[in-house]
């Protein structure tokens, strides 16, 4: 394997997304190895993979195992997310609206972390910058206050980054779905 880097003490590999469905993402690593990243290897939360991954975008993944036919089972679990206790009040976060409820809008912060922006109702797929208002360590929840809406068009795109590393290109193509 080549093109290995270390993120949060874990060996990860760069690859390119070749196919996206509701349950998995097909990825080709720079070494030429092909693998599958299943939804349960990204998060335990119900997210729309088609909204988070785009064909030909670059992505960093962990190699979980190699199957008998040479294909890889890949993972992103715990790679880029933070535990809610590591966030601090007034910290600014990039997030994407995923649904609304009577309290406000639920937003995706990382694949494993969803927050709530109270009393603001945004269209699904809207990207925004929000600051942390309160943290609930017991229930693993975070509430946010919006700072600014970045993209509110259904076809708007935003690149999500971890430092100078692009995690995935977030495309709000299925906002109306």
């Amino acid at each position: 394997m080549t093109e290995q880097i270390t993120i949060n003490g874990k060996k990860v590999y760069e690859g390119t997304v070749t196919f996206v469905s509701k349950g998995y993402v097909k990825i080709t690593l720079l070494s030429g190895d092909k693998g599958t990243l299943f939804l349960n290897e990204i998060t335990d939360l119900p997210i729309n993979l088609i909204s988070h991954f785009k064909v030909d975008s670059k992505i960093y993944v962990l190699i979980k195992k190699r199957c008998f036919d040479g294909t890889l089972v890949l993972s992103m679990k715990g790679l880029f997310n933070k535990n809610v206790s590591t966030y601090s009040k007034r910290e600014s976060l990039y997030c994407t609206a995923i649904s609304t409820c009577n309290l406000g809008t639920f937003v995706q912060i990382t694949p494993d972390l969803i927050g709530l922006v109270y009393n603001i109702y945004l269209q699904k797929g809207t990207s925004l910058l929000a600051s942390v208002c309160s943290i609930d360590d017991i229930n693993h929840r975070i509430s946010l206050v919006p700072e600014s809406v970045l993209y509110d068009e259904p076809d708007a795109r935003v690149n999500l980054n971890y430092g100078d590393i692009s995690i995935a290109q977030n495309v709000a193509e299925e906002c109306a779905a």
Side-chain angles (χ1 to χ4, degrees), residues 33-83:
D33 291 318
K34 296 181 186 302
T36 304
L37 177 63
F38 293 99
L39 176 62
N40 66 337
E41 288 299 330
I42 300 169
T43 181
D44 295 325
L45 300 171
I47 66 168
N48 183 350
L49 294 179
I50 297 168
S51 296
H52 286 276
F53 297 95
K54 179 168 175 48
V55 172
D56 294 330
S57 63
K58 300 293 180 204
I59 186 171
Y60 286 89
V61 292
L62 300 162
I63 296 176
K64 187 169 181 182
K65 68 178 177 180
R66 183 178 292 275
C67 297
F68 67 93
D69 63 354
T71 60
L72 302 170
V73 175
L74 305 170
S75 180
M76 283 183 72
K77 264 204 169 161
L79 188 58
F80 297 107
N81 66 317
K82 290 171 135 181
N83 189 328

